[in-house]
Short mmCIF file of all heavy atoms in Angstrom, two decimals:
data_model
loop_
_atom_site.label_atom_id
_atom_site.label_comp_id
_atom_site.label_asym_id
_atom_site.label_seq_id
_atom_site.Cartn_x
_atom_site.Cartn_y
_atom_site.Cartn_z
N PRO B 403 -30.55 -6.36 54.25
CA PRO B 403 -31.70 -5.53 53.87
C PRO B 403 -31.48 -4.09 54.34
O PRO B 403 -31.04 -3.87 55.48
CB PRO B 403 -32.86 -6.19 54.61
CG PRO B 403 -32.43 -7.59 54.86
CD PRO B 403 -30.95 -7.53 55.07
N LEU B 404 -31.76 -3.15 53.47
CA LEU B 404 -31.59 -1.73 53.81
C LEU B 404 -32.85 -1.23 54.50
O LEU B 404 -33.96 -1.47 54.02
CB LEU B 404 -31.31 -0.91 52.56
CG LEU B 404 -30.10 -1.33 51.71
CD1 LEU B 404 -29.97 -0.43 50.48
CD2 LEU B 404 -28.82 -1.28 52.54
N LYS B 405 -32.68 -0.55 55.63
CA LYS B 405 -33.82 -0.04 56.40
C LYS B 405 -33.62 1.44 56.67
O LYS B 405 -32.50 1.88 56.91
CB LYS B 405 -33.90 -0.78 57.75
CG LYS B 405 -34.20 -2.26 57.63
CD LYS B 405 -34.49 -2.87 59.00
CE LYS B 405 -34.99 -4.28 58.86
NZ LYS B 405 -33.94 -5.23 58.35
N GLY B 406 -34.68 2.22 56.64
CA GLY B 406 -34.59 3.66 56.85
C GLY B 406 -34.04 4.01 58.22
O GLY B 406 -34.04 3.16 59.11
N PRO B 407 -33.57 5.26 58.40
CA PRO B 407 -33.51 6.31 57.39
C PRO B 407 -32.43 6.06 56.32
O PRO B 407 -31.47 5.36 56.58
CB PRO B 407 -33.20 7.56 58.22
CG PRO B 407 -32.58 7.07 59.48
CD PRO B 407 -33.16 5.72 59.73
N PHE B 408 -32.66 6.69 55.16
CA PHE B 408 -31.79 6.49 54.00
C PHE B 408 -31.10 7.79 53.59
O PHE B 408 -31.57 8.89 53.91
CB PHE B 408 -32.62 6.02 52.80
CG PHE B 408 -33.38 4.75 53.06
CD1 PHE B 408 -34.71 4.79 53.46
CD2 PHE B 408 -32.77 3.51 52.91
CE1 PHE B 408 -35.43 3.62 53.71
CE2 PHE B 408 -33.48 2.33 53.14
CZ PHE B 408 -34.81 2.39 53.54
N ALA B 409 -30.02 7.64 52.86
CA ALA B 409 -29.37 8.81 52.26
C ALA B 409 -28.99 8.48 50.82
O ALA B 409 -28.74 7.32 50.48
CB ALA B 409 -28.13 9.21 53.04
N ALA B 410 -28.98 9.51 49.99
CA ALA B 410 -28.52 9.35 48.60
C ALA B 410 -27.32 10.27 48.39
O ALA B 410 -27.36 11.44 48.77
CB ALA B 410 -29.64 9.69 47.63
N ILE B 411 -26.29 9.71 47.78
CA ILE B 411 -25.07 10.47 47.54
C ILE B 411 -24.82 10.49 46.04
O ILE B 411 -24.92 9.46 45.38
CB ILE B 411 -23.90 9.79 48.29
CG1 ILE B 411 -24.13 9.92 49.80
CG2 ILE B 411 -22.57 10.42 47.88
CD1 ILE B 411 -23.51 8.81 50.60
N ASP B 412 -24.55 11.66 45.52
CA ASP B 412 -24.26 11.77 44.08
C ASP B 412 -22.81 11.34 43.85
O ASP B 412 -21.89 12.02 44.30
CB ASP B 412 -24.47 13.21 43.62
CG ASP B 412 -24.36 13.34 42.11
OD1 ASP B 412 -23.73 12.47 41.46
OD2 ASP B 412 -24.90 14.32 41.56
N PRO B 413 -22.59 10.21 43.17
CA PRO B 413 -21.22 9.73 43.00
C PRO B 413 -20.40 10.59 42.04
O PRO B 413 -19.24 10.32 41.80
CB PRO B 413 -21.41 8.32 42.45
CG PRO B 413 -22.73 8.35 41.77
CD PRO B 413 -23.57 9.35 42.51
N ARG B 414 -21.04 11.62 41.51
CA ARG B 414 -20.28 12.53 40.64
C ARG B 414 -19.69 13.69 41.43
O ARG B 414 -18.89 14.44 40.90
CB ARG B 414 -21.18 13.04 39.52
CG ARG B 414 -21.69 11.90 38.64
CD ARG B 414 -22.73 12.38 37.66
NE ARG B 414 -23.87 12.95 38.34
CZ ARG B 414 -24.92 13.50 37.72
NH1 ARG B 414 -24.94 13.55 36.41
NH2 ARG B 414 -25.92 13.98 38.40
N ASP B 415 -20.10 13.85 42.69
CA ASP B 415 -19.45 14.84 43.53
C ASP B 415 -18.06 14.35 43.91
O ASP B 415 -17.83 13.15 43.96
CB ASP B 415 -20.23 15.04 44.84
CG ASP B 415 -21.45 15.92 44.63
OD1 ASP B 415 -21.56 16.53 43.55
OD2 ASP B 415 -22.29 15.98 45.54
N GLY B 416 -17.17 15.29 44.23
CA GLY B 416 -15.88 14.85 44.73
C GLY B 416 -14.73 15.40 43.95
O GLY B 416 -14.86 16.43 43.29
N PHE B 417 -13.60 14.69 43.97
CA PHE B 417 -12.39 15.31 43.44
C PHE B 417 -12.42 15.64 41.96
O PHE B 417 -11.82 16.59 41.53
CB PHE B 417 -11.11 14.59 43.84
CG PHE B 417 -11.04 13.11 43.61
CD1 PHE B 417 -10.77 12.59 42.36
CD2 PHE B 417 -11.22 12.23 44.67
CE1 PHE B 417 -10.68 11.22 42.17
CE2 PHE B 417 -11.13 10.86 44.48
CZ PHE B 417 -10.86 10.35 43.23
N PHE B 418 -13.17 14.86 41.16
CA PHE B 418 -13.19 15.23 39.74
C PHE B 418 -14.03 16.47 39.50
O PHE B 418 -13.63 17.34 38.74
CB PHE B 418 -13.70 14.07 38.88
CG PHE B 418 -12.70 12.98 38.77
CD1 PHE B 418 -13.03 11.68 39.12
CD2 PHE B 418 -11.42 13.24 38.34
CE1 PHE B 418 -12.08 10.67 39.03
CE2 PHE B 418 -10.47 12.24 38.24
CZ PHE B 418 -10.81 10.94 38.59
N GLY B 419 -15.18 16.54 40.17
CA GLY B 419 -16.03 17.71 40.00
C GLY B 419 -15.30 18.99 40.35
O GLY B 419 -15.51 20.03 39.76
N ALA B 420 -14.40 18.88 41.31
CA ALA B 420 -13.66 20.05 41.75
C ALA B 420 -12.26 20.09 41.13
O ALA B 420 -11.38 20.76 41.62
CB ALA B 420 -13.54 20.03 43.27
N GLY B 421 -12.09 19.35 40.06
CA GLY B 421 -10.77 19.22 39.43
C GLY B 421 -10.29 20.52 38.81
O GLY B 421 -11.03 21.49 38.70
N ARG B 422 -9.04 20.48 38.35
CA ARG B 422 -8.43 21.72 37.87
C ARG B 422 -9.10 22.26 36.62
O ARG B 422 -9.00 23.42 36.30
CB ARG B 422 -6.93 21.52 37.63
CG ARG B 422 -6.60 20.58 36.52
CD ARG B 422 -5.10 20.26 36.49
NE ARG B 422 -4.88 19.11 35.63
CZ ARG B 422 -4.83 19.17 34.31
NH1 ARG B 422 -4.96 20.32 33.68
NH2 ARG B 422 -4.65 18.09 33.60
N HIS B 423 -9.81 21.40 35.89
CA HIS B 423 -10.49 21.90 34.69
C HIS B 423 -11.90 22.39 35.00
O HIS B 423 -12.54 22.98 34.16
CB HIS B 423 -10.56 20.82 33.62
CG HIS B 423 -9.22 20.52 33.05
ND1 HIS B 423 -8.77 21.07 31.88
CD2 HIS B 423 -8.19 19.78 33.53
CE1 HIS B 423 -7.54 20.66 31.65
NE2 HIS B 423 -7.16 19.87 32.64
N GLY B 424 -12.32 22.11 36.23
CA GLY B 424 -13.62 22.60 36.66
C GLY B 424 -14.77 22.14 35.78
O GLY B 424 -15.82 22.77 35.74
#
Side-chain angles (χ1 to χ4, degrees):
Chain B
L404 303 179
K405 295 189 171 68
F408 302 96
I411 294 152
D412 187 338
R414 299 172 300 177
D415 281 349
F417 50 80
F418 287 125
R422 67 189 166 80
H423 290 263

